[in-house]
């Protein structure tokens, strides 16, 4: 399709609408009869070579722009077209995955780059910043759906998209998932040219769990990030348990100077051994590190608000008074938090069809906040490890 006498007026009207409502920069060249493409001036866009759209696509994408819909932070719908952002390694996708098109009675789906609808929403909403390398259109690859019939429910759309993404991932061994609009960290306007000197006293000795920590921070999916951070609990817990058990055992042996070595004394040694074995069970790992390595009164503030309220109610205390609670109450709180961490871990690891909910699991909506708590907990574990003697310090 070319620009013609019959469509040039409509094209110009829609371009004006984009200029007025979506922060699209007007082209320096007017649309001419016979043109094959329409240029879209996305702001701060580096890849202008790919900002040309065929006349046919332009008319499809701009049909009904006054009713454009943005779904969550990942999708835009206009008329019978939906574009949903995907997260995938661009190089591997281009290298391994052929041009695919999925066809069903309800949908026609394909994967495209430089998505028009995503680009105009990013332009309209200011989701771009050239200084940080965030571009409104060329940054994205999307699933584009064309509805063949009346639009199904949002749940059906997402299920179909994920079905197609699974096909790609399993067929071509390329991790791919629904993504979201990009963002960048806020910074102050002040520039700090001073060099900050970090001395050896400020550095924590390296241990392998730091690799898990860094990997976890780089993961965007909150459930996978949680599992990476939980691995750090699993990493430290055995040595924490061993150290605690050795200290208790040494105290018992020290007591031989003042007490009789009778059957009751020997039985107490057996009990210590049993306690140590119990502490190594999966269910007890989080409880072990919470008991021995952190001050939960200080970390409590980083838990999700919902969990804080639940614990304050079940353990009968006010959050503001947590620092003055008795040691016995603190132990109960630690055990409750450990149960929450363990239950949340299990709910992610095990398939939903095989998992029985305990009621202690952190909700999906609060998982991001729980991960903030996990980050602080892990940092405490690194500090704890750094001040241990070589006998108990993990590398």
């Amino acid at each position: 399709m070319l620009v013609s006498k019959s469509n040039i007026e409509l094209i110009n009207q829609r371009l004006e609408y984009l200029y007025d409502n979506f922060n699209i920069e007007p082209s320096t060249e007017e649309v001419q009869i016979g043109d094959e493409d329409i240029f879209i001036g996305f702001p701060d866009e580096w890849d202008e070579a790919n900002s040309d759209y065929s006349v046919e696509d332009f008319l499809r994408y701009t049909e009904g722009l006054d009713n454009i819909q943005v779904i969550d932070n990942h999708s835009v719908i206009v008329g019978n077209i939906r574009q949903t952002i995907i997260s995938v390694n661009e190089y591997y996708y281009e290298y391994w995955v052929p041009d695919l098109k999925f066809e069903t009675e309800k949908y026609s789906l394909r994967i495209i780059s430089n998505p028009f609808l995503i680009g105009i929403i990013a332009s309209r909403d200011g989701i771009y910043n050239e200084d940080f390398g965030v571009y409104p259109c060329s940054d994205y690859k999307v699933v584009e759906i064309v509805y063949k019939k009346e639009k199904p429910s949002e749940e059906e759309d997402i299920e179909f998209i994920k079905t197609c993404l699974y096909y790609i991932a399993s067929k071509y061994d390329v991790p791919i998932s629904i993504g979201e609009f990009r963002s960048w960290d806020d910074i102050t306007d002040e520039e700090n040219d001073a060099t900050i000197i970090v001395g050896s006293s400020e550095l924590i000795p390296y241990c392998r769990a730091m690799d898990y920590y860094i990997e976890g921070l780089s993961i965007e999916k909150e459930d996978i990030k949680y599992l990476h951070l939980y691995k750090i609990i699993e990493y430290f817990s055995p040595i924490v348990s061993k150290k605690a058990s050795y200290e208790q055992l040494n105290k018992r042996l020290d007591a031989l100077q003042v007490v009789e070595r009778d059957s009751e004394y020997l039985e107490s040694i057996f009990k210590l051994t049993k306690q140590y074995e119990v502490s190594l069970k999966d269910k007890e790992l989080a409880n072990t590190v919470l008991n021995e390595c952190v001050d939960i009164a200080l970390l409590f503030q980083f838990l999700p608000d919902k969990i804080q309220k639940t614990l304050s109610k079940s353990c009968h205390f006010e959050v503001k008074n947590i620092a003055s609670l008795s040691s016995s109450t603190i132990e109960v709180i630690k055990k409750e938090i450990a149960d929450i961490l363990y239950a949340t871990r299990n709910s992610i690891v095990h398939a939903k069809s095989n998992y029985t909910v305990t009621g202690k699991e952190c909700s999906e909506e609060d998982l991001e906040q729980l991960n903030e708590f996990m980050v602080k907990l892990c940092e405490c574990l690194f500090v704890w490890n750094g001040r241990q003697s070589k006998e108990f310090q993990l590398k």
Side-chain angles (χ1 to χ4, degrees):
M1 179 185 293
L2 303 177
V3 177
S4 64
K5 289 183 180 180
S6 62
N7 62 27
I8 189 170
E9 184 177 351
L10 177 62
I11 290 170
N12 282 323
Q13 287 175 354
R14 293 186 179 180
L15 282 171
E16 286 297 326
Y17 191 84
L18 288 173
Y19 302 154
D20 294 341
N21 296 279
F22 290 92
N23 193 31
I24 299 301
E25 299 171 356
S27 175
T28 56
E29 297 182 8
E30 294 185 359
V31 176
Q32 302 289 332
I33 292 174
D35 286 348
E36 298 180 353
D37 302 305
I38 307 296
F39 175 76
I40 303 300
F42 299 109
D44 279 7
E45 182 58 68
W46 75 274
D47 191 14
E48 292 189 353
N50 286 309
S51 294
D52 288 319
Y53 295 85
S54 69
V55 174
E56 182 179 6
D57 280 345
F58 175 81
L59 291 174
R60 286 194 311 117
Y61 292 140
T62 55
E63 180 68 39
L65 280 180
D66 52 338
N67 291 317
I68 195 167
Q69 291 179 272
V70 179
I71 309 296
D72 294 329
N73 196 31
H74 54 60
S75 300
V76 180
I77 299 176
V78 167
N80 70 332
I81 302 173
R82 174 187 185 124
Q83 291 183 346
T84 296
I85 299 168
I86 57 174
S87 176
V88 65
N89 184 297
E90 187 83 20
Y91 174 79
Y92 290 132
Y93 187 90
E94 296 297 334
Y95 188 76
W96 281 325
V97 183
D99 188 21
L100 297 171
K101 193 170 186 180
F102 298 84
E103 297 284 350
T104 70
E105 290 184 1
K106 297 179 181 179
Y107 302 102
S108 177
L109 181 149
R110 60 184 181 138
I111 309 291
I112 65 169
S113 301
N114 296 87
F116 183 97
L117 300 181
I118 295 296
I120 62 173
I121 290 299
S123 300
R124 184 193 71 180
D125 296 346
I127 310 174
Y128 59 88
N129 190 309
E130 188 176 21
D131 293 338
F132 291 94
V134 178
Y135 304 103
C137 187
S138 60
D139 270 351
Y140 300 102
K141 187 178 285 291
V142 301
V143 161
E144 180 173 287
I145 286 178
V146 175
Y147 300 112
K148 296 182 177 180
K149 299 179 180 179
E150 186 176 343
K151 181 189 179 306
S153 67
E154 177 65 14
E155 184 179 2
E156 286 181 272
D157 280 2
I158 295 297
E159 286 181 357
F160 179 66
I161 290 170
K162 289 183 176 180
T163 298
C164 296
L165 297 184
Y166 170 76
Y167 174 91
I168 294 171
S170 61
K171 185 80 172 176
Y172 302 102
D173 196 26
V174 174
I176 185 170
S177 60
I178 293 175
E180 58 183 24
F181 282 100
R182 292 189 63 192
S183 62
W184 59 95
D185 294 330
D186 293 328
I187 61 170
T188 64
D189 293 330
E190 299 177 4
E191 292 187 7
N192 190 350
D193 295 327
T195 300
I196 298 174
I197 306 299
V198 180
S200 58
S201 62
E202 298 177 70
L203 297 176
I204 299 172
Y206 169 79
C207 68
R208 194 172 61 188
M210 289 178 174
D211 296 339
Y212 304 150
Y213 175 83
I214 294 171
E215 289 171 10
L217 293 186
S218 67
I219 296 171
E220 294 184 2
K221 291 197 67 177
E222 297 298 336
D223 54 349
I224 306 303
K225 176 183 288 188
Y226 180 84
L227 293 182
H228 262 70
L229 296 174
Y230 195 90
K231 280 168 62 177
I232 297 173
I233 291 177
E234 296 174 324
Y235 182 80
F236 279 111
S237 186
I239 194 66
V240 172
S241 182
K242 181 179 288 188
K243 181 176 186 291
S245 297
Y246 280 5
E247 289 176 349
Q248 291 181 43
L249 181 58
N250 279 326
K251 289 177 183 178
R252 293 289 163 86
L253 295 174
D254 293 343
L256 273 177
Q257 303 294 324
V258 294
V259 300
E260 185 180 349
R261 183 174 177 173
D262 55 13
S263 60
E264 185 177 343
Y265 174 84
L266 294 174
E267 182 64 27
S268 71
I269 301 295
F270 282 131
K271 285 182 179 179
L272 282 179
T273 303
K274 290 177 182 177
Q275 289 173 5
Y276 173 64
E277 291 174 349
V278 169
S279 71
L280 295 178
K281 292 183 178 180
D282 286 349
K283 188 176 181 180
E284 297 298 322
L285 299 182
N287 192 39
T288 298
V289 298
L290 289 177
N291 268 324
E292 302 295 333
C293 305
V294 302
D295 184 343
I296 201 61
L298 297 178
L299 291 189
F300 193 83
Q301 62 183 305
F302 299 107
L303 287 167
D305 291 341
K306 195 179 298 181
I307 291 178
Q308 290 189 40
K309 291 177 183 176
T310 299
L311 291 175
S312 66
K313 185 175 181 180
S314 63
C315 299
H316 311 293
F317 70 96
E318 292 187 34
V319 173
K320 65 181 181 180
N321 297 329
I322 190 169
S324 59
L325 296 179
S326 66
S327 58
S328 59
T329 303
I330 289 291
E331 283 187 17
V332 173
I333 293 171
K334 287 179 178 179
K335 184 65 171 67
E336 289 293 317
I337 294 173
D339 288 345
I340 290 169
L341 299 183
Y342 181 64
T344 302
R345 176 257 186 202
N346 287 345
S347 68
I348 297 171
V349 169
H350 300 296
K352 291 184 179 180
S353 59
N354 297 328
Y355 180 71
T356 303
V357 176
T358 67
K360 293 183 178 292
E361 298 79 6
C362 176
S363 64
E364 188 175 341
E365 62 194 38
D366 286 331
L367 197 53
E368 182 178 359
Q369 182 63 43
L370 184 61
N371 276 336
E372 291 188 28
F373 170 83
M374 291 292 283
V375 166
K376 302 299 183 185
L377 172 58
C378 291
E379 290 172 354
C380 287
L381 293 179
F382 295 138
V383 175
W384 178 90
N385 184 64
R387 60 182 175 80
Q388 301 309 305
S389 62
K390 290 184 179 181
E391 179 184 3
F392 294 107
Q393 190 177 103
L394 292 178
K395 298 295 184 181

